[in-house]
Amino acid sequence: MEYTIKKISELAGISSRTLRFYDEIKLLKPARINSSGYRIYAQNEVDRLQQILVYRKLGLSLEDIKAIMDNPDFDEIKTLRSHHQALLIQQQQLSKLIDTVEKTLMTKEGSGSMTNIEKFEGLKRERVRKNEDQYGTESRALYGTNQVTDSNQKMLNMNQEKFQAFEELEEAIFVQLKKAMNTKNVSSIESQKLARMHKEWLSYTWTTYSTKAHVGLVNLYLADPRFVSYYDNRVGQGGTQFLKDAVIHFTNK
């Protein structure tokens, strides 16, 4: 079966303008152009569009989607299984978070109660959910689904004391980063203390540590505008770069 651009846009729930843009960037080319100059899409294009829309829902950029799907070694089934597993985890976490919010509302409205343990568990699940929403795709691409899943579970298994220490250390890292930046020297005592603190912070959630993985993470920080904003907004411009350089110096030693 073949579709005009109008029909396939209605089928997929996207605009014809979007499809024309996908054609322009060579993400989704029509099967052919008919004698009247209209784009015509066949089953292969429908299947590819479905994959594109799934990846968009998972938060991937169009550039990343094109690179993935045009890769001759692209394994569609393996990739979809990985994302399916991530979505199931997010579904479980979201379900528990909804339960926490409902209990909180009942408590505030006087129609129920919520223990401190339940409140604490909700905080952990919310943190994991945010990490998954913001960085889950990139983390799985860098470390693999199993590693990220195990890391999430390690956080969820933390007791209240350990989780509090984890969050307090993160705040201390921002303070230390400012001190280190003032030295303007990534090999300074303050800078190397910063790198050690960052390593310790990672140990709370990482199942295993390696200098290679640590360097990979700080490289990801600098390559991703979201991480750059997260650090630079707290300590000033250049904070993310300085953290990366301090960690690389630390791992080289």
Side-chain angles (χ1 to χ4, degrees):
M1 185 173 182
E2 292 187 330
Y3 299 85
T4 62
I5 192 169
K6 182 175 184 297
K7 289 294 184 182
I8 195 173
S9 67
E10 291 174 351
L11 177 68
I14 59 177
S15 68
S16 298
R17 181 179 180 181
T18 297
L19 287 168
R20 286 193 290 271
F21 178 66
Y22 287 176
D23 185 4
E24 288 173 13
I25 65 174
K26 299 180 180 180
L27 177 62
L28 179 69
K29 303 290 291 183
R32 63 185 179 87
I33 305 295
N34 68 11
S35 57
S36 300
Y38 290 107
R39 294 173 172 87
I40 303 297
Y41 297 83
Q43 190 60 49
N44 285 340
E45 288 69 46
V46 172
D47 292 343
R48 183 174 173 94
L49 178 58
Q50 188 262 346
Q51 292 172 357
I52 291 168
L53 296 180
V54 167
Y55 291 136
R56 288 296 284 159
K57 287 290 185 182
L58 291 169
L60 274 70
S61 68
L62 293 178
E63 183 180 358
D64 288 340
I65 294 171
K66 188 175 186 303
I68 290 170
M69 297 183 68
D70 290 347
N71 187 334
D73 297 324
F74 170 59
D75 187 330
E76 179 187 351
I77 294 177
K78 182 179 179 181
T79 303
L80 285 175
R81 286 192 187 281
S82 174
H83 289 312
H84 179 250
Q85 181 65 27
L87 288 170
L88 289 176
I89 293 170
Q90 290 182 39
Q91 182 185 51
Q92 294 169 0
Q93 292 165 352
L94 184 58
S95 177
K96 291 178 180 178
L97 183 60
I98 290 171
D99 182 58
T100 298
V101 172
E102 288 176 346
K103 287 182 178 179
T104 302
L105 283 171
M106 291 174 64
T107 300
K108 297 294 182 182
E109 294 170 350
S111 57
S113 61
M114 187 178 187
T115 67
N116 287 332
I117 293 177
E118 287 174 325
K119 293 176 183 177
F120 163 65
E121 289 299 320
L123 288 174
K124 288 195 298 184
R125 286 193 289 268
E126 173 65 3
R127 174 127 189 180
V128 169
R129 184 192 68 80
K130 283 185 176 180
N131 286 342
E132 279 289 345
D133 288 348
Q134 293 180 315
Y135 313 117
T137 300
E138 293 88 343
S139 297
R140 280 176 167 75
L142 187 61
Y143 301 114
T145 296
N146 291 339
Q147 179 76 11
V148 175
T149 301
D150 290 346
S151 178
N152 288 340
Q153 193 58 52
K154 190 174 180 181
M155 179 179 288
L156 292 173
N157 289 340
M158 287 184 193
N159 59 32
Q160 187 168 357
E161 181 181 0
K162 194 165 187 178
F163 183 71
Q164 185 175 351
F166 168 71
E167 293 207 310
E168 288 176 352
L169 180 57
E170 183 178 30
E171 288 302 312
I173 286 172
F174 284 114
V175 174
Q176 186 62 32
L177 178 52
K178 285 184 179 181
K179 291 180 180 178
M181 288 174 68
N182 286 336
T183 70
K184 299 180 180 180
N185 182 358
V186 296
S187 64
S188 69
I189 294 174
E190 295 290 355
S191 298
Q192 291 310 284
K193 180 180 178 181
L194 166 69
R196 286 194 300 273
M197 290 171 66
H198 196 256
K199 175 185 176 182
E200 180 186 353
W201 181 70
L202 293 175
S203 71
Y204 277 90
T205 54
W206 282 14
T207 54
T208 57
Y209 172 86
S210 73
T211 56
K212 181 180 179 181
H214 199 174
V215 169
L217 180 63
V218 292
N219 279 328
L220 175 63
Y221 283 178
L222 198 61
D224 192 319
R226 294 168 298 178
F227 280 112
V228 173
S229 296
Y230 183 67
Y231 283 97
D232 284 19
N233 288 347
R234 290 287 299 271
V235 301
Q237 187 175 2
T240 315
Q241 177 73 60
F242 195 93
L243 173 61
K244 174 202 165 185
D245 293 341
V247 166
I248 289 178
H249 184 83
F250 172 77
T251 54
N252 284 339
K253 290 175 62 179

